[in-house]
Short mmCIF file of all heavy atoms in Angstrom, two decimals:
data_model
loop_
_atom_site.label_atom_id
_atom_site.label_comp_id
_atom_site.label_asym_id
_atom_site.label_seq_id
_atom_site.Cartn_x
_atom_site.Cartn_y
_atom_site.Cartn_z
N HIS A 1 -1.44 -10.00 7.66
CA HIS A 1 -2.59 -9.09 7.59
C HIS A 1 -2.18 -7.72 7.07
O HIS A 1 -2.87 -7.10 6.26
CB HIS A 1 -3.22 -8.95 8.97
CG HIS A 1 -4.32 -7.93 9.03
ND1 HIS A 1 -5.58 -8.16 8.52
CD2 HIS A 1 -4.34 -6.66 9.51
CE1 HIS A 1 -6.33 -7.09 8.69
NE2 HIS A 1 -5.60 -6.16 9.29
N ALA A 2 -1.01 -7.26 7.53
CA ALA A 2 -0.56 -5.91 7.15
C ALA A 2 -0.17 -5.82 5.70
O ALA A 2 -0.36 -4.79 5.06
CB ALA A 2 0.62 -5.49 8.02
N LEU A 3 0.37 -6.90 5.14
CA LEU A 3 0.96 -6.82 3.81
C LEU A 3 0.26 -7.67 2.76
O LEU A 3 0.82 -7.91 1.70
CB LEU A 3 2.45 -7.22 3.88
CG LEU A 3 3.34 -6.26 4.66
CD1 LEU A 3 4.78 -6.77 4.65
CD2 LEU A 3 3.27 -4.87 4.12
N ARG A 4 -0.94 -8.13 3.03
CA ARG A 4 -1.62 -8.89 1.99
C ARG A 4 -1.90 -7.96 0.81
O ARG A 4 -2.19 -6.78 1.01
CB ARG A 4 -2.91 -9.51 2.51
CG ARG A 4 -3.96 -8.53 2.95
CD ARG A 4 -5.16 -9.27 3.55
NE ARG A 4 -6.23 -8.37 3.89
CZ ARG A 4 -6.32 -7.71 5.02
NH1 ARG A 4 -5.36 -7.85 5.93
NH2 ARG A 4 -7.33 -6.91 5.26
N PRO A 5 -1.79 -8.49 -0.42
CA PRO A 5 -1.91 -7.60 -1.58
C PRO A 5 -3.27 -6.93 -1.67
O PRO A 5 -4.30 -7.51 -1.35
CB PRO A 5 -1.70 -8.58 -2.77
CG PRO A 5 -1.01 -9.75 -2.19
CD PRO A 5 -1.49 -9.87 -0.78
N ALA A 6 -3.25 -5.68 -2.10
CA ALA A 6 -4.50 -4.99 -2.37
C ALA A 6 -5.12 -5.58 -3.63
O ALA A 6 -4.43 -5.98 -4.55
CB ALA A 6 -4.23 -3.50 -2.56
N PRO A 7 -6.45 -5.67 -3.69
CA PRO A 7 -7.08 -6.21 -4.90
C PRO A 7 -6.81 -5.31 -6.09
O PRO A 7 -6.80 -4.09 -5.96
CB PRO A 7 -8.57 -6.23 -4.54
CG PRO A 7 -8.72 -5.19 -3.47
CD PRO A 7 -7.44 -5.24 -2.69
N LEU A 8 -6.60 -5.93 -7.26
CA LEU A 8 -6.31 -5.15 -8.46
C LEU A 8 -7.51 -5.05 -9.40
O LEU A 8 -7.38 -4.49 -10.46
CB LEU A 8 -5.13 -5.79 -9.21
CG LEU A 8 -3.74 -5.25 -8.86
CD1 LEU A 8 -2.67 -5.99 -9.62
CD2 LEU A 8 -3.64 -3.77 -9.13
N ASP A 9 -8.65 -5.61 -9.01
CA ASP A 9 -9.83 -5.53 -9.86
C ASP A 9 -10.24 -4.07 -10.01
O ASP A 9 -10.83 -3.46 -9.11
CB ASP A 9 -10.98 -6.34 -9.27
CG ASP A 9 -10.69 -7.83 -9.26
OD1 ASP A 9 -9.83 -8.25 -10.05
OD2 ASP A 9 -11.33 -8.55 -8.47
N GLY A 10 -9.92 -3.50 -11.17
CA GLY A 10 -10.27 -2.12 -11.42
C GLY A 10 -9.41 -1.10 -10.69
O GLY A 10 -9.67 0.09 -10.78
N THR A 11 -8.38 -1.56 -9.97
CA THR A 11 -7.50 -0.64 -9.23
C THR A 11 -6.18 -0.49 -9.97
O THR A 11 -5.51 -1.48 -10.25
CB THR A 11 -7.21 -1.18 -7.82
OG1 THR A 11 -8.45 -1.38 -7.12
CG2 THR A 11 -6.33 -0.23 -7.03
N PRO A 12 -5.74 0.72 -10.29
CA PRO A 12 -4.45 0.91 -10.95
C PRO A 12 -3.31 0.40 -10.06
O PRO A 12 -3.41 0.43 -8.83
CB PRO A 12 -4.37 2.42 -11.17
CG PRO A 12 -5.79 2.90 -11.08
CD PRO A 12 -6.47 1.99 -10.11
N LEU A 13 -2.23 -0.02 -10.69
CA LEU A 13 -1.07 -0.48 -9.94
C LEU A 13 -0.57 0.59 -8.99
O LEU A 13 -0.19 0.29 -7.84
CB LEU A 13 0.05 -0.88 -10.92
CG LEU A 13 1.37 -1.30 -10.30
CD1 LEU A 13 1.21 -2.55 -9.45
CD2 LEU A 13 2.42 -1.53 -11.39
N THR A 14 -0.57 1.85 -9.43
CA THR A 14 -0.07 2.93 -8.58
C THR A 14 -0.87 3.03 -7.28
O THR A 14 -0.30 3.19 -6.20
CB THR A 14 -0.13 4.27 -9.34
OG1 THR A 14 -1.45 4.45 -9.85
CG2 THR A 14 0.86 4.28 -10.50
N ASP A 15 -2.19 2.92 -7.38
CA ASP A 15 -3.02 3.02 -6.18
C ASP A 15 -2.83 1.80 -5.28
O ASP A 15 -2.84 1.92 -4.04
CB ASP A 15 -4.49 3.14 -6.56
CG ASP A 15 -4.82 4.48 -7.21
OD1 ASP A 15 -3.98 5.40 -7.13
OD2 ASP A 15 -5.91 4.60 -7.80
N ALA A 16 -2.67 0.63 -5.88
CA ALA A 16 -2.47 -0.58 -5.08
C ALA A 16 -1.15 -0.52 -4.32
O ALA A 16 -1.08 -0.96 -3.16
CB ALA A 16 -2.50 -1.81 -5.99
N VAL A 17 -0.10 0.02 -4.93
CA VAL A 17 1.18 0.15 -4.25
C VAL A 17 1.07 1.15 -3.11
O VAL A 17 1.60 0.94 -2.02
CB VAL A 17 2.29 0.55 -5.24
CG1 VAL A 17 3.56 0.95 -4.50
CG2 VAL A 17 2.58 -0.59 -6.19
N ARG A 18 0.38 2.25 -3.35
CA ARG A 18 0.17 3.22 -2.27
C ARG A 18 -0.55 2.57 -1.08
O ARG A 18 -0.23 2.83 0.08
CB ARG A 18 -0.66 4.41 -2.78
CG ARG A 18 0.07 5.34 -3.73
CD ARG A 18 -0.77 6.59 -3.96
NE ARG A 18 -0.15 7.49 -4.92
CZ ARG A 18 -0.51 7.60 -6.19
NH1 ARG A 18 -1.48 6.84 -6.68
NH2 ARG A 18 0.11 8.45 -6.99
N GLU A 19 -1.51 1.71 -1.38
CA GLU A 19 -2.24 1.04 -0.32
C GLU A 19 -1.33 0.11 0.48
O GLU A 19 -1.43 0.01 1.70
CB GLU A 19 -3.42 0.26 -0.91
CG GLU A 19 -4.23 -0.54 0.09
CD GLU A 19 -4.96 0.33 1.12
OE1 GLU A 19 -5.04 1.55 0.93
OE2 GLU A 19 -5.44 -0.25 2.12
N LEU A 20 -0.43 -0.60 -0.21
CA LEU A 20 0.50 -1.47 0.49
C LEU A 20 1.40 -0.68 1.44
O LEU A 20 1.61 -1.10 2.59
CB LEU A 20 1.37 -2.24 -0.52
CG LEU A 20 0.81 -3.51 -1.14
CD1 LEU A 20 1.85 -4.14 -2.05
CD2 LEU A 20 0.36 -4.50 -0.08
N THR A 21 1.93 0.44 0.98
CA THR A 21 2.81 1.22 1.85
C THR A 21 2.01 1.85 3.00
O THR A 21 2.52 1.95 4.12
CB THR A 21 3.55 2.31 1.06
OG1 THR A 21 2.62 3.15 0.37
CG2 THR A 21 4.51 1.69 0.05
N ARG A 22 0.78 2.23 2.72
CA ARG A 22 -0.06 2.78 3.80
C ARG A 22 -0.28 1.73 4.88
O ARG A 22 -0.17 2.01 6.09
CB ARG A 22 -1.40 3.26 3.24
CG ARG A 22 -2.27 3.97 4.27
CD ARG A 22 -3.71 4.12 3.78
NE ARG A 22 -4.38 2.83 3.66
CZ ARG A 22 -4.87 2.15 4.70
NH1 ARG A 22 -4.76 2.63 5.93
NH2 ARG A 22 -5.47 1.00 4.49
N ARG A 23 -0.59 0.52 4.47
CA ARG A 23 -0.81 -0.54 5.44
C ARG A 23 0.46 -0.84 6.24
O ARG A 23 0.40 -1.05 7.46
CB ARG A 23 -1.26 -1.82 4.72
CG ARG A 23 -2.68 -1.77 4.18
CD ARG A 23 -2.98 -3.08 3.47
NE ARG A 23 -4.31 -3.09 2.88
CZ ARG A 23 -4.75 -4.07 2.12
NH1 ARG A 23 -3.96 -5.10 1.86
NH2 ARG A 23 -5.96 -4.03 1.62
N LEU A 24 1.58 -0.87 5.54
CA LEU A 24 2.84 -1.17 6.24
C LEU A 24 3.11 -0.12 7.32
O LEU A 24 3.48 -0.46 8.45
CB LEU A 24 3.99 -1.19 5.23
CG LEU A 24 5.38 -1.47 5.81
CD1 LEU A 24 5.45 -2.86 6.43
CD2 LEU A 24 6.45 -1.33 4.73
N ALA A 25 2.92 1.14 6.97
CA ALA A 25 3.15 2.21 7.95
C ALA A 25 2.17 2.12 9.11
O ALA A 25 2.54 2.27 10.27
CB ALA A 25 3.03 3.58 7.26
N GLU A 26 0.92 1.84 8.80
CA GLU A 26 -0.12 1.82 9.81
C GLU A 26 0.03 0.63 10.75
O GLU A 26 -0.16 0.74 11.97
CB GLU A 26 -1.50 1.76 9.13
CG GLU A 26 -2.68 1.76 10.08
CD GLU A 26 -3.99 1.72 9.31
OE1 GLU A 26 -4.43 2.79 8.82
OE2 GLU A 26 -4.56 0.62 9.19
N GLU A 27 0.40 -0.53 10.21
CA GLU A 27 0.42 -1.75 11.01
C GLU A 27 1.75 -2.00 11.72
O GLU A 27 1.79 -2.72 12.71
CB GLU A 27 0.11 -2.96 10.11
CG GLU A 27 -1.26 -2.92 9.46
CD GLU A 27 -2.38 -3.09 10.47
OE1 GLU A 27 -2.13 -3.68 11.53
OE2 GLU A 27 -3.51 -2.64 10.19
N THR A 28 2.83 -1.42 11.23
CA THR A 28 4.14 -1.73 11.80
C THR A 28 4.86 -0.53 12.39
O THR A 28 5.82 -0.69 13.14
CB THR A 28 5.07 -2.36 10.74
OG1 THR A 28 5.41 -1.36 9.76
CG2 THR A 28 4.40 -3.54 10.06
N GLY A 29 4.44 0.69 12.02
CA GLY A 29 5.14 1.87 12.49
C GLY A 29 6.34 2.26 11.64
O GLY A 29 6.98 3.28 11.90
N ILE A 30 6.64 1.46 10.62
CA ILE A 30 7.72 1.81 9.70
C ILE A 30 7.31 3.02 8.86
O ILE A 30 6.15 3.15 8.45
CB ILE A 30 8.06 0.62 8.77
CG1 ILE A 30 8.71 -0.50 9.58
CG2 ILE A 30 8.97 1.04 7.62
CD1 ILE A 30 9.00 -1.75 8.76
N GLU A 31 8.25 3.92 8.62
CA GLU A 31 8.00 5.06 7.73
C GLU A 31 8.00 4.54 6.29
O GLU A 31 9.05 4.18 5.75
CB GLU A 31 9.09 6.11 7.92
CG GLU A 31 8.90 7.33 7.06
CD GLU A 31 10.07 8.29 7.15
OE1 GLU A 31 11.21 7.81 7.33
OE2 GLU A 31 9.85 9.49 7.05
N ALA A 32 6.83 4.44 5.69
CA ALA A 32 6.72 3.85 4.35
C ALA A 32 5.88 4.76 3.47
O ALA A 32 4.85 5.29 3.89
CB ALA A 32 6.07 2.47 4.44
N PHE A 33 6.33 4.96 2.24
CA PHE A 33 5.59 5.83 1.32
C PHE A 33 5.90 5.45 -0.12
O PHE A 33 6.88 4.76 -0.41
CB PHE A 33 5.91 7.30 1.57
CG PHE A 33 7.37 7.65 1.52
CD1 PHE A 33 7.93 8.18 0.38
CD2 PHE A 33 8.17 7.45 2.64
CE1 PHE A 33 9.28 8.51 0.34
CE2 PHE A 33 9.52 7.78 2.61
CZ PHE A 33 10.07 8.31 1.46
N ALA A 34 5.02 5.89 -1.01
CA ALA A 34 5.16 5.60 -2.44
C ALA A 34 5.22 6.90 -3.22
O ALA A 34 4.58 7.89 -2.87
CB ALA A 34 3.97 4.76 -2.93
N THR A 35 6.01 6.89 -4.30
CA THR A 35 6.15 8.03 -5.19
C THR A 35 5.96 7.56 -6.63
O THR A 35 6.49 6.52 -7.01
CB THR A 35 7.54 8.69 -5.04
OG1 THR A 35 7.71 9.12 -3.69
CG2 THR A 35 7.68 9.88 -5.97
N VAL A 36 5.20 8.33 -7.40
CA VAL A 36 4.98 8.02 -8.82
C VAL A 36 5.47 9.19 -9.65
O VAL A 36 5.11 10.34 -9.39
CB VAL A 36 3.49 7.76 -9.11
CG1 VAL A 36 3.27 7.48 -10.60
CG2 VAL A 36 2.97 6.61 -8.26
N THR A 37 6.31 8.91 -10.65
CA THR A 37 6.76 9.96 -11.57
C THR A 37 6.43 9.55 -13.00
O THR A 37 6.35 8.37 -13.32
CB THR A 37 8.29 10.20 -11.45
OG1 THR A 37 8.99 9.03 -11.89
CG2 THR A 37 8.68 10.52 -10.02
#
């Protein structure tokens, strides 16, 4: 449930990755974050 992929329909890859790390942090307590350069 915590790590199921975010839908990509109309969602940029960068935003979908941010959503995955947000879910991981929220559901497991792991310090997780995404950076885009």
Side-chain angles (χ1 to χ4, degrees):
H1 174 76
L3 293 180
R4 63 184 184 275
L8 268 178
D9 293 339
T11 302
L13 176 63
T14 52
D15 290 347
V17 169
R18 289 190 183 102
E19 177 65 13
L20 277 183
T21 56
R22 185 194 67 79
R23 287 179 182 174
L24 179 64
E26 182 179 279
E27 299 291 336
T28 69
I30 291 176
E31 181 186 33
F33 55 97
T35 300
V36 178
T37 66

